[in-house]
Amino acid sequence: MTRGCARATDNTDNAVCIRITQSFTPPVAALLVAERADNGLRAASQHGSLSNRAHDALARTRGVSATESEKAPVVNIANALTVLRLVLVPVFVWVYWADTPMRAALAWAVFALAAGTDKLDGYLARSRHLVTNFGKLADSIADKALISVALVMLSWHGMLWWWVTVLLIAREVLITAVRMSVVKKHVMAAGKAGKIKMALQSFGIAGLLIPWSSFLPQAVATVLVWASWALIAVALYFSLTSAWGYIQDARRIAHEGAD
């Protein structure tokens, strides 16, 4: 039995051999096979060829789950930047409470700082292996809070149509509810279309916040405002199309959990 397992090359076969060996062979032989499987786990993980089921089976032989063995600390620089973005949301509201050129410029600075942390926290989380479930969820909430508040303030000051704001915020509420419905099974991170939507919204909102007419000719300022509206329009398209993708993913996750 031990020799047969030693010849196994497939990761799933390794996992099966470990379970068989632990049941029918002496402890020493089981340790030898487990050590070999652990080496195979590292090699397969580096090449990205290990299935989740095999990964979990092999990780259990070492007494820990796959997620526990790779968990990053919740308190880290990436999550701190995400929390900072949440803190900047009420600051933005206070600064942009009055629609004056100076207030609008300050609001743009706060918004740009908050939007910049979105790019930075994602980079740090990936490059330093600090990706956590809290970060995935908090990052999405922070993005939605910042964008939603900015849209409301722009509509309140007459810079954006209310129906656009309502549609965009309704989409964010729907996707948040969808994510929360499957959060116990899987934390859904932002997809590519969602990231494009976020970038377009950020540039569009930033363009509408800048008081162009206070330092540029009126004709140029008008063109820049219309360009910002165009970015919001494209963002609305990506917002609706990416929402359908999130719903499909949530249905798949729920179906897999039921199975």
Side-chain angles (χ1 to χ4, degrees), residues 198-211:
M198 174 65 180
L200 290 170
Q201 283 180 330
S202 297
F203 283 111
I205 290 172
L208 292 176
L209 286 172
I210 297 175

Side-chain angles (χ1 to χ4, degrees), residues 42-169:
R42 294 193 187 97
S45 296
Q46 291 174 355
H47 291 85
S49 60
L50 190 65
S51 67
N52 291 334
R53 183 174 297 178
H55 191 290
D56 291 338
L58 292 173
R60 281 196 296 272
T61 66
R62 293 177 289 172
V64 294
S65 67
T67 54
E68 290 173 344
S69 65
E70 298 175 352
K71 183 183 294 184
V74 175
V75 180
N76 59 60
I77 183 63
N79 288 345
L81 289 173
T82 302
V83 173
L84 174 62
R85 188 156 70 257
L86 279 169
V87 172
L88 288 175
V89 171
V91 176
F92 173 83
V93 174
W94 176 77
V95 170
Y96 197 40
W97 194 256
D99 185 23
T100 64
M102 179 60 69
R103 287 271 188 159
L106 290 175
W108 176 89
V110 173
F111 181 83
L113 176 61
T117 63
D118 180 45
K119 184 71 173 178
L120 184 58
D121 64 6
Y123 168 76
L124 291 174
R126 291 186 297 271
S127 63
R128 300 189 181 186
H129 306 290
L130 298 176
V131 177
T132 63
N133 285 340
F134 170 82
K136 292 178 185 178
L137 195 59
D139 180 74
S140 175
I141 293 174
D143 290 346
K144 287 171 172 48
L146 178 65
I147 294 297
S148 298
V149 166
L151 290 172
V152 168
M153 296 302 292
L154 285 172
S155 294
W156 186 31
H157 291 312
M159 293 297 297
L160 188 65
W161 299 279
W162 274 108
W163 67 267
V164 175
T165 295
V166 170
L167 274 179
L168 289 171
I169 293 179

Side-chain angles (χ1 to χ4, degrees), residues 137 140-141 144 171-181:
L137 195 59
S140 175
I141 293 174
K144 287 171 172 48
R171 182 267 185 194
E172 303 301 340
V173 172
L174 172 64
I175 296 307
T176 299
V178 168
R179 279 177 164 164
M180 295 305 295
S181 68

